[in-house]
């Protein structure tokens, strides 16, 4: 009779090509799908695991930890964000948590700029117009957008991604201000000016939101804060839940905002219907880190964290 042994590592989603090569098949159970595991399936797969590689769709809470049992040593999140994880519950049980910072910075900053350009130059609208087959003609007044040179850019959240967004602004000749929990050392400010939140909002024609979602930042950019932006401003939201999606749609509908772009949504895969109704909203399906190189690096870092802990070492990128 063959004895069935639970592999020590559970991976809850298909990862980029080659990422799992360093975890030999007997060591890993892979949920080989682009869809997340159903909750019941996840809970049933947890008992006896030493390590779990999770994504933002997997809620890691007391129920998850109880299902895994006392052998669980690390939850390696395949994301820089950790809002799917009850960090206090993990700490209480001595379960380590790691994320994937650093490796997704440049790809995510590129997407922020792609969205910024798409929103200010009305690319979504233009594409939809051509595909609709409706008649159109070039005209001096046709589909005019916002010019970037000299336009003040505000960055809310000046972590790695915010800094990378700021560095790119030099190429567009935009003056940059930022608001962050704490002021950065000058060599990491990329020429951006630190500002209190009220001033950042009042002075930014384009606002890029990159701060992580925490209890303190949920709906930080609400109707009131959107109203503080100058008329005709553009908002680019790179973190789900920080910008209130309903308020954003209302600010577009009233004409207060010129345009907006959103990459992450609060209730993914659902997109707020009010946003879907706005022509001036550029909406993309959580593509910030979606390049081959970055997804391989994120997966590789999650695997490195697991291998380190299985070898008795601390994870490379622990969440503090
Ligand atoms: C977002 O997609 C993240 O990696 O946290």
């Amino acid at each position: 009779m063959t004895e069935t042994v639970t592999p020590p590592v559970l991976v809850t989603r298909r990862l980029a090509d080659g990422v799992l090569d360093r975890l030999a098949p007997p060591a890993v159970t892979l949920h080989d799908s682009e869809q997340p595991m159903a909750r019941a399936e996840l809970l049933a797969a947890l008992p006896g695991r030493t390590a779990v590689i999770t994504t933002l769709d997997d809620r890691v809470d007391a129920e998850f930890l109880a299902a895994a049992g006392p052998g669980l040593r690390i939850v390696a999140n395949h994301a820089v964000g950790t809002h799917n994880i009850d960090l206090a519950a993990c700490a209480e049980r001595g379960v380590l948590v790691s994320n994937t910072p650093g490796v997704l910075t440049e790809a995510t900053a590129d997407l922020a700029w792609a969205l910024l350009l798409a929103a200010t130059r009305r690319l979504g609208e233009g594409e939809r117009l051509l595909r609709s087959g409706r008649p159109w003609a070039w005209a001096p007044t046709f589909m005019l957008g916002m010019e970037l040179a000299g336009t003040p850019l505000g960055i809310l959240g000046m972590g790695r991604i915010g800094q990378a967004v700021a560095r790119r602004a030099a190429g567009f000749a935009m003056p940059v201000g930022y608001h962050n929990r704490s002021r950065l050392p000058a060599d990491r400010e990329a020429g951006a000016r630190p500002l209190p939140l009220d001033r950042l909002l009042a002075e930014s024609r384009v606002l890029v939101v990159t701060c992580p979602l925490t209890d303190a930042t949920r709906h930080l950019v609400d109707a009131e804060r959107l109203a503080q932006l100058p008329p005709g401003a553009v908002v680019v939201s790179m973190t789900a839940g920080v910008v209130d999606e309903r308020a954003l749609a209302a600010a577009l509908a009233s004409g207060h905002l010129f345009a907006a772009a959103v990459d992450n949504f609060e209730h993914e895969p659902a997109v707020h219907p009010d946003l879907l109704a706005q022509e001036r909203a550029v909406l993309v399906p959580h593509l910030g880190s979606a390049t081959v190189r970055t997804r391989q690096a994120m997966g590789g870092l999650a695997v490195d964290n697991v291998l380190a802990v299985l070898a008795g070492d601390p994870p490379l990128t622990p969440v503090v």
Side-chain angles (χ1 to χ4, degrees), residues 263-317:
D263 177 46
N264 287 211
F265 300 88
E266 197 169 348
H267 303 291
E268 285 178 13
V271 177
H272 199 292
D274 293 0
L275 276 179
L276 287 170
Q278 290 304 316
E279 268 291 294
R280 293 286 180 92
V282 178
L283 307 171
V284 296
H286 201 146
L287 298 178
S289 61
T291 68
V292 173
R293 193 204 293 171
T294 288
R295 286 292 162 80
Q296 283 176 339
M298 289 168 72
L301 185 49
V303 167
D304 286 341
N305 279 313
V306 166
L307 289 174
V309 171
L310 292 180
D313 294 324
L316 279 72
T317 49

Side-chain angles (χ1 to χ4, degrees), residues 13-314:
R13 197 79 72 91
R14 180 182 304 149
L15 301 182
D17 278 355
V19 163
L20 291 179
D21 291 356
R22 284 172 303 133
L23 288 173
V28 59
T29 305
L30 169 66
H31 176 66
D32 192 11
S33 167
E34 285 202 335
Q35 295 303 314
M37 292 177 89
R39 184 69 177 174
E41 193 188 357
L42 174 63
L43 294 176
L46 286 171
R49 305 295 178 177
T50 310
V52 186
I53 295 182
T54 49
T55 72
L56 291 171
D57 289 306
D58 304 311
R59 201 173 68 250
V60 180
D61 55 8
E63 183 186 43
F64 177 112
L65 298 170
L72 183 64
R73 286 168 46 207
I74 179 166
V75 172
N77 217 30
H78 183 282
V80 66
T82 53
H83 52 264
N84 57 315
I85 302 178
D86 183 340
L87 297 175
C90 290
E92 207 172 286
R93 286 167 174 264
V95 174
L96 297 162
V97 177
S98 64
N99 63 346
T100 60
V103 292
L104 48 69
T105 304
E106 303 301 330
T108 307
D110 286 349
L111 191 84
W113 275 93
L115 292 179
L116 192 165
L117 288 160
T120 53
R121 299 304 297 272
R122 304 175 60 177
L123 301 190
E125 275 177 272
E127 249 250 331
R128 282 191 296 278
L129 173 64
L130 292 197
R131 290 178 187 278
S132 75
R134 288 200 301 276
W136 67 280
W138 183 94
T141 52
F142 177 62
M143 284 201 79
L144 304 188
M146 179 196 288
E147 184 130 346
L148 296 185
T151 298
L153 170 67
I155 301 176
L156 178 52
M158 194 67 161
R160 293 180 185 82
I161 295 168
Q163 292 166 42
V165 169
R167 284 199 304 276
R168 284 157 175 74
F172 290 87
M174 296 176 83
V176 187
Y178 77 88
H179 178 74
N180 197 54
R181 262 177 319 179
S182 49
R183 188 177 171 165
L184 266 57
D187 62 341
R188 284 167 48 201
E189 284 181 324
R193 272 182 322 143
L195 292 171
L197 182 53
D198 287 345
R199 263 195 69 197
L200 184 82
L201 294 171
E203 292 179 14
S204 300
R205 278 300 297 284
V206 179
L207 180 73
V208 178
V209 179
T210 69
C211 55
L213 176 62
T214 63
D215 288 342
T217 63
R218 187 175 297 278
H219 288 192
L220 177 66
V221 181
D222 56 7
E224 216 170 295
R225 293 226 163 84
L226 288 168
Q228 288 178 260
L229 288 164
V234 170
V235 173
V236 177
S237 168
M238 299 300 293
T239 317
V242 176
V243 179
D244 179 344
E245 290 169 16
R246 181 195 295 266
L248 185 66
L252 286 166
S254 73
H256 177 62
L257 295 182
F258 178 79
V262 184
D263 177 46
N264 287 211
F265 300 88
E266 197 169 348
H267 303 291
E268 285 178 13
V271 177
H272 199 292
D274 293 0
L275 276 179
L276 287 170
Q278 290 304 316
E279 268 291 294
R280 293 286 180 92
V282 178
L283 307 171
V284 296
H286 201 146
L287 298 178
S289 61
T291 68
V292 173
R293 193 204 293 171
T294 288
R295 286 292 162 80
Q296 283 176 339
M298 289 168 72
L301 185 49
V303 167
D304 286 341
N305 279 313
V306 166
L307 289 174
V309 171
L310 292 180
D313 294 324

